[in-house]
Amino acid sequence: MADEQYYNLGTDRNGCIRHCAHARVGLLGNPSDAYYGHTLSFSLANFWASVSLQPSSSLVIKPHPRHDPMQFDSLEDLVKRVQDEGYYGGLRLLLSTCKMFLNYCDNHNITLHTGNFTLSYDTNIPRQAGLSGSSAIVCAALNCLLEFYDVGHLVKVENRPRLILTAEEDIGITAGLQDRVVQVYGGLVYMDFDEDYLERTGNGKYTPMDPQLLPQLHIIYAENPSDSGKACTQFIYRPT
């Protein structure tokens, strides 16, 4: 289990900023975060996404060589890649994170300096396994942006899960706050999505807990799963 949601992997002498965010497991209550319920989740140290931000003269979003390929050996190779990995990598997540970060800063009168950067990512979180791989990339990217612009003190920790969620929603990902909360707070987190409180503040009530309270756990996931986002969409819109 990851005691912290992300690691600051440091800033090298060239000014490159690196952050890491872990996968998460919804242990109890999932997906009642979408229905004013209660959830218990923890971050998983075995899998993570890392994002690097390097100051540069132009703003560059770098595709991942495996997850965002634009060159293939053949048509058959292209089809196999799509069948195994789907149509989307992490590139759109980085783009959306940058967009929603700027929108948030504009809406909250947070001034940003004019420096540019090159943003890249890597991940070992299994795709479409329900381990929150997309939000891990967004979370790590957000932490890089907060450090680069030195505005972390102006974006409250309790508001960051909502900001991460808006970046995913902007590209059509259906989700709730739960995953983003545990990736921001790290470790084991109890969440109370009380309706009145959520409607009033935009957040739930989040209580970090001691991970040592949990028994030994094992994670089982499929190697070739279906699209977890599509499954959640059907569940949310299914009539009761």
Side-chain angles (χ1 to χ4, degrees):
M1 180 180 297
D3 291 334
E4 295 181 354
Q5 141 280 331
Y6 64 87
Y7 295 126
N8 181 343
L9 301 179
T11 303
D12 65 22
R13 59 186 177 183
N14 295 317
C16 183
I17 299 167
R18 294 184 177 88
H19 280 274
C20 175
H22 290 96
R24 82 91 184 95
V25 173
L27 186 62
L28 296 172
N30 189 32
S32 69
D33 53 321
Y35 306 100
Y36 309 114
H38 304 254
T39 65
L40 187 66
S41 301
F42 61 87
S43 52
L44 188 64
N46 306 66
F47 303 113
W48 63 88
S50 63
V51 173
S52 299
L53 186 154
Q54 174 71 58
S56 56
S57 57
S58 299
L59 202 159
V60 179
I61 308 296
K62 294 181 65 174
H64 191 279
R66 175 184 174 189
H67 302 303
D68 306 288
M70 293 292 108
Q71 182 174 334
F72 305 89
D73 293 333
S74 65
L75 189 58
E76 289 77 14
D77 180 42
L78 182 153
V79 171
K80 185 178 187 307
R81 190 277 173 193
V82 171
Q83 289 175 338
D84 292 346
E85 303 286 340
Y87 288 101
Y88 302 117
L91 193 62
R92 61 179 186 150
L93 295 166
L94 298 183
L95 291 168
S96 183
T97 303
C98 291
K99 173 189 173 184
M100 302 314 293
F101 172 74
L102 179 58
N103 287 351
Y104 181 94
C105 291
D106 286 345
N107 292 335
H108 292 82
N109 298 314
I110 298 174
T111 301
L112 304 177
H113 64 72
T114 58
N116 283 324
F117 54 84
T118 295
L119 207 59
S120 60
Y121 79 98
D122 196 7
T123 181
N124 69 353
I125 300 176
R127 292 174 59 87
Q128 306 298 346
L131 295 174
S132 303
S134 295
S135 56
I137 294 173
V138 176
C139 186
L142 175 61
N143 287 317
C144 285
L145 293 171
L146 292 172
E147 182 174 345
F148 178 70
Y149 288 104
D150 192 23
V151 295
H153 61 294
L154 300 176
V155 182
K156 294 181 179 179
V157 173
E158 60 265 31
N159 292 334
R160 295 178 190 179
R162 175 68 65 180
L163 177 53
I164 294 169
L165 180 59
T166 61
E168 294 180 272
E169 290 177 334
D170 195 54
I171 55 176
I173 294 177
T174 301
L177 282 168
Q178 174 192 192
D179 304 3
R180 291 93 206 141
V181 171
V182 73
Q183 288 174 322
V184 166
Y185 284 82
L188 176 67
V189 185
Y190 168 71
M191 292 160 263
D192 177 2
F193 295 98
D194 175 76
E195 182 174 3
D196 290 337
Y197 189 83
L198 186 63
E199 295 296 334
R200 184 161 36 88
T201 67
N203 304 313
K205 300 175 183 178
Y206 311 135
T207 306
M209 301 178 67
D210 183 359
Q212 297 301 318
L213 293 171
L214 292 176
Q216 184 177 13
L217 299 169
H218 299 271
I219 305 299
I220 300 173
Y221 59 91
E223 291 187 356
N224 294 297
S226 60
D227 189 326
S228 59
K230 290 181 180 179
C232 289
T233 301
Q234 293 173 2
F235 179 82
I236 288 175
Y237 290 106
R238 185 176 299 163
T240 57

